[in-house]
Amino acid sequence: MKSIIGKSILLFLVCMLIPVTVGATKNSQQSDNSNKPGQPLEGPVPNFENVSVHDPSIIKDGDTFYAFGTHIEAAKSKDLISWERFTNGYTTPGNELYGDLSENLAGSFEWAGENDADSTGGFAVWAPEIFYNKHYVNEDGSKGAYMIYYSASSTYIRSAIGYAVSQNIEGPYEYVDTEIYSGFTKEEAYDNNSTVNKQWENTNISTLIDEGTLTKENQNWFNNGGSFNNAMYPNAIDANLFYDENGKLWMTYGSWSGGIFLLEVDKETGQVIHPEEDGETEDGRMIDRYFGTKIAGGYTKSGEGPYVVYNEKTGYYYLYMTYGWLGADGGYNMRVFRATDPEGPYLDAQGQDAVLPGNVSNHTYGNKIMGNFMFDRKVGEPGTGDGYGYVSPGHNSVYQDEETGEQFLVFHTRFPNQGEVHEMRVHSIFMNEDDWPVVSPHRYTGKELEKVNSQDLVGLYKYINHGKEYSAEIETSEYITLEKNNKISGAVEGEWKKTGHNKAEITIDGETFKGVFVPQWDQTSEQYVMTFTAMSDEGIAIWGSKQENRSDAEVVQAIEEELDLGNTEEVVSDLELPTTGANGATVSWETSDESVITNTGEITRPSEEVGSLQATLTATITQGDETATKSFEITVLPYQNAELTSHFPFDGNLSDQHGDFGAGTITGDRITNTGGSISYADGVSGQALYFDGESGVLLPDNLITDHQYSVSFWVNPEELSTYTTTFFGGEFSSWISMLPQGPASNRTMLWSGEAWYDAPSSYTINTNEWTHVAFSVNNGTVKLYLNGEEEFVGSNFPDVFTNANADFSLGVNHWDTPFKGYIDNLQIFDGELSPEQINKLSAN
């Protein structure tokens, strides 16, 4: 969990001076000037305390909000702003939610989720739904219980949904039953690393047949070869329960593959009610005797995390779901459909059914309410850092306040340039004139929708268009201006107007977007700003976040004061030269010597014999008629050969043949485990180490002790699995790991657990083939090479080893599947490898 330390006493006093009503859905009172033009935007100063709850399900108990998520993580909050974790993950026995986890959920784990297939060595308990059922009949005859519908999963299709109950929101929860199974086969079959017989009779289907609920199995569940037909039927995860307008209880569930399904639920028992017979809805959608009614997706297209909310005011059932893959490079994005009946059909703004018509791309289906975005901060703008944005936001739940009608979108997200680190976020939801939900551009801080003045809407905005596509690309903000004459200029052109107290109607290139204007807290500038959020009839969301009103002279001065290129006296890699500043100002560059550094920041490093070279870079800042210049003296350092400090050729032993580091020792399947076995085989030069997939090597201590180092070795993997390491160094919370197959689109990469830094190559190395791997770190500049070719260059790489008590290993770390294959000729250097050294080391 990544948390933010509380603000100072001074900030506390400032907060106390702002009139705030207790409760997340009660906000600062409007002042007498709230609708007068030109008044400062006011509101509560947020004290964010962040938690990492993946796939969060939201509920309110008394005055406290709870969010339950994947990997048995959960947190609570009084205000939806400051969150506190109260669980202990997969700890067992003594699990905060489930007690003896392994024993308690054994009924589900017989099918999936414990030390099996993809969960080998651990657990896979995902995406719980937290729900209070006042009708549930407990064993003692009393009514009412908190219910968790959890997912236990072993592969991308073999999963099960079970449920457990408690009289206390924080548990412990006692297992009741396992409801829905998926991934079963027609005949006996087994997954890799699994002893579970997947034949369908080993699920609850055979019991349902014996009881007379079902007459027999459905042959359409199976492909021609007898495998599970996951193109038409669901992966049994991601449950969500909701009441319809008549008080009937429903469960929707499913992920990817065959789509999202819906089943009625018995309110007194929590058991799903199966249709018992196959059929079709009036509009032609599948009804399956076991899985229920299909309401979205299918044909192996992405779509998961369904969440249905009934809005009494609009009369619609809103189906939220997420497309894409959850990783930082997966383009996860949230969509919404709606229906007038809980069983559907659920349609988007274009009238398209959430159930796909066939094996088509699904990116044009559904109103896209949020995807990858970045309100990037330009030099000279208020605040610090690169700006604010999300990567792969998704798997949301929704909280509706029954008293105020406020709605909140609760989801997890990753962040630009932060790898796979994720946190939970809460944003406000507003309804536009067409009764479609639109989501606030910034986080919820306790400030509610209020009347706004048209004059305060005029000005410069950062503009995001979320579009309909999904990919790893990030939609970066552009500048537009809402003019006094209701025209829009800048990156896009059109017209705008305010309708009612706060409604927005924005027309861009002939397409009309409807939404709201709302003041929000901008975490970059740390102030409230005017924003807009709106949705078109094409299901496209746009956002705007207003910028400070400054004169051209003020803008130029701010850019000049902030413009900085870092340490220009020891330049060893290309410089990033900003070309755009605050408010769209331009920054142009001129060099005194192109042979040293170009106008775009590309350097030419000299040889050691030539020595350092100097040049002057001059920036010209222009905004309107205002201009200023600022110069930087650049010193480009020469290449110097890195100094070899240790060499492990692995010719029949694990000894360092260069320095005084001694020999490595054999481990089991983790750094700290014993019992492994390492052998020797022919390598690139002499012999190489062979790793059997269950063993590793613990290297001597202190191989790297500062922020300037290089590592070189040869690798020949027999198998590839995500996260498996070849070279690992560091501690539990701060480390580097060289992965043949990393989480960034499976590409070979150097990965750091300090701030989750990704340094990916452009491809994945081959199995049964030798590849030379090298990487250098020079005071934050990291370079990755494969077979002598530079694959990645980046800045701000974490300082993992300075003043650290690090472990170093080959083939194993503290967590992941061990490496299987060969490693040869490990060499470690003090300093950055020169081009000549890279060429020599990678020569076969």
Side-chain angles (χ1 to χ4, degrees):
M1 180 178 70
K2 184 180 179 183
S3 62
I4 298 177
I5 303 302
K7 300 295 184 181
S8 65
I9 293 176
L10 176 60
L11 180 56
F12 174 77
L13 293 174
V14 171
C15 292
M16 293 299 292
L17 292 174
I18 300 173
V20 180
T21 303
V22 175
T25 58
K26 301 294 185 182
N27 307 284
S28 59
Q29 304 298 309
Q30 292 187 34
S31 70
D32 293 337
N33 294 325
S34 63
N35 192 42
K36 295 180 180 179
Q39 300 299 315
L41 296 177
E42 298 177 348
V45 176
N47 178 25
F48 295 119
E49 295 286 350
N50 300 317
V51 290
S52 296
V53 177
H54 213 266
D55 309 326
S57 175
I58 187 75
I59 191 173
K60 190 177 185 182
D61 182 59
D63 64 350
T64 304
F65 294 92
Y66 287 86
F68 290 72
T70 285
H71 303 315
I72 316 183
E73 291 294 341
K76 56 186 176 180
S77 170
K78 298 288 187 181
D79 58 8
L80 293 172
I81 299 167
S82 180
W83 291 87
E84 175 188 5
R85 180 195 187 213
F86 66 91
T87 47
N88 56 354
Y90 286 129
T91 299
T92 188
N95 189 276
E96 290 293 335
L97 290 187
Y98 297 106
D100 189 327
L101 173 64
S102 181
E103 180 179 336
N104 191 13
L105 304 190
S108 296
F109 291 153
E110 288 179 2
W111 180 250
E114 181 184 11
N115 192 28
D116 174 67
D118 292 345
S119 64
T120 298
F123 297 90
V125 182
W126 295 346
E129 166 74 330
I130 180 66
F131 182 78
Y132 183 75
N133 183 354
K134 64 182 179 181
H135 303 284
Y136 183 79
V137 179
N138 299 290
E139 289 185 354
D140 62 2
S142 62
K143 288 191 175 182
Y146 297 94
M147 310 182 73
I148 288 182
Y149 286 76
Y150 60 84
S151 310
S153 185
S154 285
T155 72
Y156 70 103
I157 55 174
R158 179 161 59 88
S159 307
I161 295 173
Y163 70 101
V165 300
S166 174
Q167 295 301 305
N168 189 322
I169 183 69
E170 296 188 22
Y173 286 80
E174 289 296 325
Y175 173 81
V176 179
D177 200 4
T178 304
E179 294 272 80
I180 299 292
Y181 293 74
S182 66
F184 45 80
T185 56
K186 189 172 184 178
E187 306 294 342
E188 181 176 352
Y190 299 86
D191 290 317
N192 292 333
N193 301 314
S194 176
T195 60
V196 174
N197 181 358
K198 298 190 295 181
Q199 205 268 343
W200 68 268
E201 291 182 350
N202 293 313
T203 71
N204 67 344
I205 296 172
S206 57
T207 300
L208 293 171
I209 292 174
D210 293 341
E211 295 173 348
T213 301
L214 303 180
T215 57
K216 60 180 180 179
E217 75 275 21
N218 181 356
Q219 293 302 313
N220 292 325
W221 292 338
F222 312 110
N223 294 312
N224 290 335
S227 60
F228 184 67
N229 183 1
N230 65 300
M232 297 303 295
Y233 298 95
N235 186 20
I237 65 173
D238 298 356
N240 159 242
L241 275 74
F242 68 97
Y243 288 109
D244 67 17
E245 59 186 317
N246 298 314
K248 187 180 289 188
L249 186 58
W250 301 87
M251 181 178 82
T252 182
Y253 70 98
S255 171
W256 281 69
S257 298
I260 309 300
F261 283 72
L262 182 83
L263 285 163
E264 187 181 348
V265 177
D266 185 311
K267 292 188 287 188
E268 293 188 350
T269 66
Q271 297 277 348
V272 298
I273 301 172
H274 299 278
E276 301 184 13
E277 295 181 358
D278 300 333
E280 282 189 353
T281 62
E282 290 183 2
D283 54 294
R285 290 174 292 116
M286 174 197 297
I287 300 175
D288 178 76
R289 66 188 75 178
Y290 177 70
F291 291 112
T293 302
K294 182 176 289 192
I295 62 171
Y299 300 97
T300 69
K301 303 304 178 183
S302 71
E304 61 186 21
Y307 201 90
V308 175
V309 178
Y310 176 67
N311 188 301
E312 185 176 352
K313 185 176 180 180
T314 67
Y316 286 111
Y317 296 88
Y318 293 91
L319 167 63
Y320 294 84
M321 58 189 295
T322 302
Y323 289 179
W325 163 245
L326 60 83
D329 64 335
Y332 225 39
N333 65 98
M334 289 174 279
R335 309 267 170 152
V336 67
F337 301 82
R338 71 187 183 191
T340 56
D341 186 281
E343 296 183 89
Y346 287 87
L347 309 177
D348 63 14
Q350 299 181 82
Q352 299 177 124
D353 199 318
V355 175
L356 296 178
N359 189 12
V360 298
S361 175
N362 65 350
H363 76 275
T364 61
Y365 292 81
N367 295 7
K368 182 181 176 184
I369 57 175
M370 187 189 301
N372 292 359
F373 73 91
M374 181 73 170
F375 285 109
D376 66 329
R377 178 185 171 274
K378 303 295 187 183
V379 60
E381 290 181 344
T384 59
D386 296 330
Y388 146 75
Y390 297 157
V391 170
S392 287
H395 201 123
N396 71 280
S397 57
V398 174
Y399 179 76
Q400 288 188 138
D401 189 281
E402 294 181 357
E403 294 182 4
T404 66
E406 288 182 285
Q407 298 185 76
F408 304 99
L409 190 76
V410 184
F411 58 97
H412 70 253
T413 185
R414 287 153 176 79
F415 306 93
N417 304 315
Q418 293 187 40
E420 297 302 319
V421 63
H422 59 83
E423 292 177 347
M424 189 176 73
R425 290 292 183 263
V426 179
H427 283 230
S428 294
I429 297 174
F430 308 108
M431 305 304 293
N432 72 7
E433 287 187 355
D434 295 330
D435 292 334
W436 282 111
V438 293
V439 178
S440 63
H442 296 284
R443 298 173 69 174
Y444 172 73
T445 60
K447 189 173 179 64
E448 63 186 1
L449 195 62
E450 60 187 34
K451 187 175 182 179
V452 297
N453 193 290
S454 295
Q455 295 181 50
D456 292 331
L457 307 179
V458 174
L460 183 71
Y461 287 75
K462 286 185 177 178
Y463 168 78
I464 298 282
N465 184 322
H466 285 278
K468 293 295 283 283
E469 299 285 343
Y470 58 87
S471 71
E473 297 299 318
I474 298 175
E475 295 292 341
T476 304
S477 60
E478 302 175 290
Y479 289 108
I480 67 170
T481 300
L482 303 191
E483 307 282 2
K484 290 182 180 180
N485 61 0
N486 293 103
K487 299 294 185 182
I488 299 174
S489 61
V492 297
E493 295 183 350
E495 298 177 340
W496 70 273
K497 63 181 177 179
K498 178 174 81 80
T499 61
H501 290 325
N502 47 46
K503 297 294 185 181
E505 186 173 305
I506 298 170
T507 301
I508 296 173
D509 297 330
E511 187 173 5
T512 299
F513 300 79
K514 297 177 182 178
V516 297
F517 292 104
V518 56
Q520 285 204 282
W521 177 262
D522 179 353
Q523 68 182 52
T524 301
S525 62
E526 296 188 332
Q527 62 184 341
Y528 278 91
V529 300
M530 187 61 68
T531 72
F532 64 77
T533 173
M535 177 73 64
S536 75
D537 289 341
E538 300 296 315
I540 296 173
I542 60 171
W543 288 349
S545 185
K546 194 177 180 184
Q547 303 302 290
E548 280 191 349
N549 182 24
R550 293 187 290 179
S551 68
D552 291 346
E554 290 173 326
V555 169
V556 170
Q557 180 181 354
I559 296 172
E560 182 182 4
E561 290 176 354
E562 186 187 344
L563 192 59
D564 184 30
L565 299 181
N567 182 6
T568 60
E569 296 179 355
E570 298 177 335
V571 177
V572 295
S573 62
D574 295 343
L575 299 181
E576 294 183 11
L577 305 181
T579 57
T580 303
N583 294 39
T586 61
V587 183
S588 59
W589 295 87
E590 185 175 351
T591 179
S592 64
D593 192 338
E594 285 276 351
S595 66
V596 178
I597 186 168
T598 68
N599 293 336
T600 57
E602 298 175 9
I603 66 168
T604 301
R605 291 185 68 179
S607 64
E608 188 172 1
E609 292 75 21
V610 173
S612 300
L613 296 176
Q614 288 78 35
T616 301
L617 270 180
T618 301
T620 301
I621 307 157
T622 305
Q623 176 76 333
D625 295 329
E626 298 292 331
T627 187
T629 60
K630 188 172 185 177
S631 295
F632 301 87
E633 299 302 320
I634 309 297
T635 299
V636 178
L637 299 183
Y639 281 110
Q640 295 179 325
N641 285 335
E643 179 184 354
L644 181 66
T645 57
S646 60
H647 181 198
F648 299 86
F650 303 130
D651 289 332
N653 60 65
L654 301 176
S655 298
D656 170 21
Q657 300 296 317
H658 177 80
D660 300 319
F661 287 100
T665 57
I666 299 172
T667 75
D669 61 356
R670 300 290 186 270
I671 287 179
T672 54
N673 291 350
T674 59
S677 176
I678 294 292
S679 58
Y680 297 89
D682 290 341
V684 174
S685 175
Q687 290 185 307
L689 287 183
Y690 176 70
F691 295 78
D692 61 5
E694 299 178 354
S695 311
V697 170
L698 178 65
L699 296 167
D701 293 337
N702 300 316
L703 290 177
I704 304 171
T705 57
D706 60 20
H707 205 21
Q708 293 179 307
Y709 57 90
S710 297
V711 177
S712 166
F713 61 93
W714 289 86
V715 62
N716 184 352
E718 284 189 349
E719 298 177 356
L720 294 175
S721 57
T722 308
Y723 308 119
T724 291
T725 190
T726 50
F727 179 89
F728 177 88
E731 302 172 293
F732 268 93
S733 61
S734 178
W735 43 263
I736 65 169
S737 187
M738 188 63 222
L739 310 179
Q741 180 174 289
S745 299
N746 293 330
R747 290 173 291 177
T748 301
M749 63 185 288
L750 178 64
W751 199 29
S752 175
E754 177 80 17
W756 298 101
Y757 193 107
D758 293 355
S761 67
S762 60
Y763 63 96
T764 307
I765 63 174
N766 294 327
T767 56
N768 302 310
E769 180 179 299
W770 283 104
T771 299
H772 182 258
V773 175
F775 56 88
S776 293
V777 177
N778 188 347
N779 290 320
T781 298
V782 58
K783 297 180 179 180
L784 172 65
Y785 302 87
L786 296 180
N787 289 327
E789 298 295 326
E790 185 178 273
E791 285 289 324
F792 180 88
V793 179
S795 57
N796 300 316
F797 193 76
D799 184 1
V800 173
F801 301 114
T802 302
N803 302 318
N805 184 22
D807 293 318
F808 297 90
S809 61
L810 297 175
V812 292
N813 56 26
H814 295 287
W815 316 278
D816 299 305
T817 302
F819 174 72
K820 188 173 185 180
Y822 304 85
I823 295 177
D824 194 12
N825 209 23
L826 171 67
Q827 298 180 70
I828 298 176
F829 300 81
D830 181 15
E832 178 188 356
L833 292 170
S834 68
E836 291 78 11
Q837 286 180 302
I838 288 291
N839 290 335
K840 183 177 180 181
L841 290 167
S842 62
N844 195 339

